[in-house]
Amino acid sequence: RPSTVLGTALRSSERPDASTFRGPSIASAIPNVDPFLPRGDHAMPQTQHADRTTLQLSRGLGWFSIALGAAEVMAPAAVARIAGVNENERSHSIIRTLGAREISNGVAILADPSSAARVWSRVAGDAVDLGFLGAALRAERSDGNRLGLATAMVAGVTLLDVIAAQRLGSRNGAAQAARPGVVSVELAVREPYD
């Protein structure tokens, strides 16, 4: 039948070629994603471990800051004696002030342990503590050996503060750089034909 043959030919000519629907795959539209990995395995385990370790270090520094500050506020004479600082009203008042700063820094860090700025505030506080110990070394009736040990301990904690702050800063910068934007993915839908 000519009409049937003509209708069949028209339907065949109107059917789009499958090759015209070839578009970018989802894996190619999203960079740095292995399509063969299971969902949720795109993050590097080493990066996750480093982030978790840095946050644990930040929290530990926050708790240490609170504990040290509480000791300085409640027992400034004992802290001065342990550190080798000359015990008098002036040194006790300074130690109480340093303790209040330590507590505030610790609370701020625990409120947001991923904040590099809050850990850097501890570094600034460590510089004040080192200045206080340096001034105590020049004072009379001070214990040089204990002051030297206290200075070394504060310097060690300062190093940990700097490491944590730098890691948090680089981590936050990397997270902002890797923050995904708007990604449009075109999907080809093939409709069935008779």
Side-chain angles (χ1 to χ4, degrees), residues 28 31 40 69 74 162 176:
S28 63
M74 293 186 296
V162 171
Q176 292 178 356

PDB file of all heavy atoms in Angstrom, residues 28 31 40 69 74 162 176:
ATOM      1  N   SER A  28      31.551  14.082  33.715  1.00  0.00           N
ATOM      2  CA  SER A  28      32.366  15.106  33.071  1.00  0.00           C
ATOM      3  C   SER A  28      31.924  16.504  33.449  1.00  0.00           C
ATOM      4  O   SER A  28      32.688  17.454  33.359  1.00  0.00           O
ATOM      5  CB  SER A  28      32.292  14.938  31.548  1.00  0.00           C
ATOM      6  OG  SER A  28      30.959  15.132  31.106  1.00  0.00           O
ATOM      7  N   PRO A  31      33.906  18.293  37.909  1.00  0.00           N
ATOM      8  CA  PRO A  31      35.333  17.992  37.831  1.00  0.00           C
ATOM      9  C   PRO A  31      35.822  17.227  39.040  1.00  0.00           C
ATOM     10  O   PRO A  31      35.268  17.313  40.130  1.00  0.00           O
ATOM     11  CB  PRO A  31      35.971  19.396  37.772  1.00  0.00           C
ATOM     12  CG  PRO A  31      34.967  20.279  38.448  1.00  0.00           C
ATOM     13  CD  PRO A  31      33.625  19.704  38.095  1.00  0.00           C
ATOM     14  N   GLY A  40      29.708   9.408  48.035  1.00  0.00           N
ATOM     15  CA  GLY A  40      30.241   9.835  49.327  1.00  0.00           C
ATOM     16  C   GLY A  40      31.710   9.501  49.513  1.00  0.00           C
ATOM     17  O   GLY A  40      32.295   9.855  50.510  1.00  0.00           O
ATOM     18  N   GLY A  69      43.496  29.074  82.725  1.00  0.00           N
ATOM     19  CA  GLY A  69      42.923  30.335  83.175  1.00  0.00           C
ATOM     20  C   GLY A  69      42.235  30.210  84.519  1.00  0.00           C
ATOM     21  O   GLY A  69      42.342  31.106  85.370  1.00  0.00           O
ATOM     22  N   MET A  74      41.947  31.498  90.225  1.00  0.00           N
ATOM     23  CA  MET A  74      41.623  31.031  91.577  1.00  0.00           C
ATOM     24  C   MET A  74      42.851  30.908  92.476  1.00  0.00           C
ATOM     25  O   MET A  74      42.733  31.067  93.694  1.00  0.00           O
ATOM     26  CB  MET A  74      40.902  29.683  91.485  1.00  0.00           C
ATOM     27  CG  MET A  74      39.531  29.773  90.843  1.00  0.00           C
ATOM     28  SD  MET A  74      38.614  28.197  90.883  1.00  0.00           S
ATOM     29  CE  MET A  74      39.671  27.169  89.860  1.00  0.00           C
ATOM     30  N   VAL A 162      50.203  28.002  66.945  1.00  0.00           N
ATOM     31  CA  VAL A 162      50.513  28.469  65.589  1.00  0.00           C
ATOM     32  C   VAL A 162      50.202  27.381  64.557  1.00  0.00           C
ATOM     33  O   VAL A 162      49.620  27.648  63.498  1.00  0.00           O
ATOM     34  CB  VAL A 162      51.992  28.899  65.492  1.00  0.00           C
ATOM     35  CG1 VAL A 162      52.384  29.181  64.050  1.00  0.00           C
ATOM     36  CG2 VAL A 162      52.234  30.137  66.344  1.00  0.00           C
ATOM     37  N   GLN A 176      36.656  27.113  51.022  1.00  0.00           N
ATOM     38  CA  GLN A 176      36.025  28.169  50.249  1.00  0.00           C
ATOM     39  C   GLN A 176      36.352  28.045  48.773  1.00  0.00           C
ATOM     40  O   GLN A 176      35.509  28.294  47.911  1.00  0.00           O
ATOM     41  CB  GLN A 176      36.468  29.539  50.776  1.00  0.00           C
ATOM     42  CG  GLN A 176      35.941  29.849  52.172  1.00  0.00           C
ATOM     43  CD  GLN A 176      36.435  31.177  52.678  1.00  0.00           C
ATOM     44  OE1 GLN A 176      37.234  31.854  52.018  1.00  0.00           O
ATOM     45  NE2 GLN A 176      35.978  31.574  53.854  1.00  0.00           N
TER      46      GLN A 176
END
